[in-house]
Amino acid sequence: MRVLEPGALSTIQDLGRPGWFHAGVGVSGAVDRGALRLANRLVGNAESAAAVECMLGGLEVEFEIPAVVAVTGASVPITVAGRHEPPASVLFVGAGQRVRLGTAATGLRCYLAVRGGIAVEPVLGSRSRDTMAGIGPAPLRRDDTVPVGAPPHGWPLVDVAPVAGPTDATVRPRVLLGPRADWFRNATDLFTGAWQVSTEIDRIGVRLERCADAPALQRVDTGELPTEGMALGAIQVPPAGRPVVLLADRPITGGYPVVGTVIDADVDALGQVRPGQCIEFRSWQL
């Protein structure tokens, strides 16, 4: 597979490299894990196979030999050899043909899976690019040649997966308060009113701003904590009071208090939010 245009940021991602926290290495992997898994299932790969994660679209690739691909995640226009194709469906690409992803109308990240998986050399058991640590294959560049693995024995079981893609509507993730809710005058203010996604958004996290007249999160202690572990979906609150929801390439430790953590089932949706979009957190209990 040859890269003709890499788009704004296209990286190779699988489901990450768990088990290396003791060495200071985070998990990384796809930000929207559900979209990656679906793309792989559509082409008959194992769910953990590596694919291309593309931010906002703009990716264009050419295949030297026939290929089977699928595109999931953000709502991007898809063309194969100039013909328009539907998302979340099995697409057959002939030798010398091109796949192009336009600009996403909604959502932030789309996933291009190829039957056989992206076969770059794994690092610590994963082919994912960790943009914070600089581990794994470099982001795609124009004229890169990307190896594709041998096709699996099984064939796709469906032609299309009728799933709803990301929208620009308000996202309502569920949050378990703590472990540092007691560092705030009223931690439940997190659930009052809406938060707006700022322009400071990447694979590390999503920074939020308060909307309208909703109350700010006020800390009762201006000190800092000893460094402690940071979970996927942790909502860190720096002294300025602008929360950051941590995503795939988050630091594995941090000193800012965590007011709550987005439950695992709702983290993928935060990987698709765009600047200006609203988020309303909902309280969740074990």
Side-chain angles (χ1 to χ4, degrees), residues 27-44:
V27 175
S28 191
V31 177
D32 186 342
R33 298 158 297 171
L36 173 77
R37 289 186 171 109
L38 176 59
N40 275 320
R41 290 200 305 271
L42 283 165
V43 297

Side-chain angles (χ1 to χ4, degrees), residues 21-61:
F21 280 4
H22 67 284
V25 179
V27 175
S28 191
V31 177
D32 186 342
R33 298 158 297 171
L36 173 77
R37 289 186 171 109
L38 176 59
N40 275 320
R41 290 200 305 271
L42 283 165
V43 297
N45 291 341
E47 289 187 350
S48 58
V52 178
E53 178 184 276
C54 176
M55 186 176 73
L56 284 176
L59 175 69
E60 185 174 8
V61 296

Side-chain angles (χ1 to χ4, degrees), residues 28-224:
S28 191
V31 177
D32 186 342
R33 298 158 297 171
L36 173 77
R37 289 186 171 109
L38 176 59
N40 275 320
R41 290 200 305 271
L42 283 165
V43 297
N45 291 341
E47 289 187 350
S48 58
V52 178
E53 178 184 276
C54 176
M55 186 176 73
L56 284 176
L59 175 69
E60 185 174 8
V61 296
E62 183 179 76
F63 290 88
E64 296 178 354
I65 61 175
V68 179
V69 306
V71 180
T72 59
S75 302
V76 295
I78 305 162
T79 58
V80 175
R83 68 181 184 271
H84 292 279
E85 298 286 3
S89 58
V90 181
L91 307 177
F92 294 90
V93 185
Q97 291 185 342
R98 298 179 178 186
V99 177
R100 181 164 182 7
L101 309 183
T103 302
T106 56
L108 190 65
R109 296 177 173 92
C110 57
Y111 293 83
L112 171 68
V114 184
R115 182 170 168 79
I118 303 300
V120 295
E121 194 68 25
V123 177
L124 299 179
S126 170
R127 294 180 169 91
S128 287
R129 174 65 176 185
D130 185 328
T131 57
M132 184 173 189
I135 295 173
L140 299 186
R141 297 172 297 181
R142 188 180 290 117
D143 294 328
D144 278 352
T145 298
V146 181
V148 176
H153 295 297
W155 274 93
L157 299 177
V158 298
D159 294 328
V160 61
V163 295
T167 72
D168 55 6
T170 298
V171 176
R172 296 179 173 85
R174 293 164 288 180
V175 172
L176 180 65
L177 278 181
R180 301 299 176 186
D182 58 344
W183 274 56
F184 299 88
R185 183 160 287 111
N186 189 357
T188 58
D189 284 343
L190 182 71
F191 308 122
T192 302
W195 299 86
Q196 189 173 60
V197 178
S198 78
T199 56
E200 298 175 62
I201 178 172
D202 55 22
R203 284 181 46 84
I204 297 170
V206 178
R207 190 178 295 276
L208 304 174
E209 308 276 2
R210 252 312 184 192
C211 294
D213 298 326
L217 286 174
Q218 297 181 19
R219 287 170 53 169
V220 296
D221 191 330
T222 58
E224 297 301 335

Side-chain angles (χ1 to χ4, degrees), residues 174-182 184 187-188 190-191 217 230-237 243-246 256-263 281-282 284:
R174 293 164 288 180
V175 172
L176 180 65
L177 278 181
R180 301 299 176 186
D182 58 344
F184 299 88
T188 58
L190 182 71
F191 308 122
L217 286 174
M230 290 293 120
L232 179 66
I235 306 173
Q236 271 193 328
V237 185
V244 180
V245 185
L246 299 181
Y256 296 136
V258 173
V259 66
T261 302
V262 176
I263 68 170
F281 292 115
R282 294 183 294 165
W284 187 82

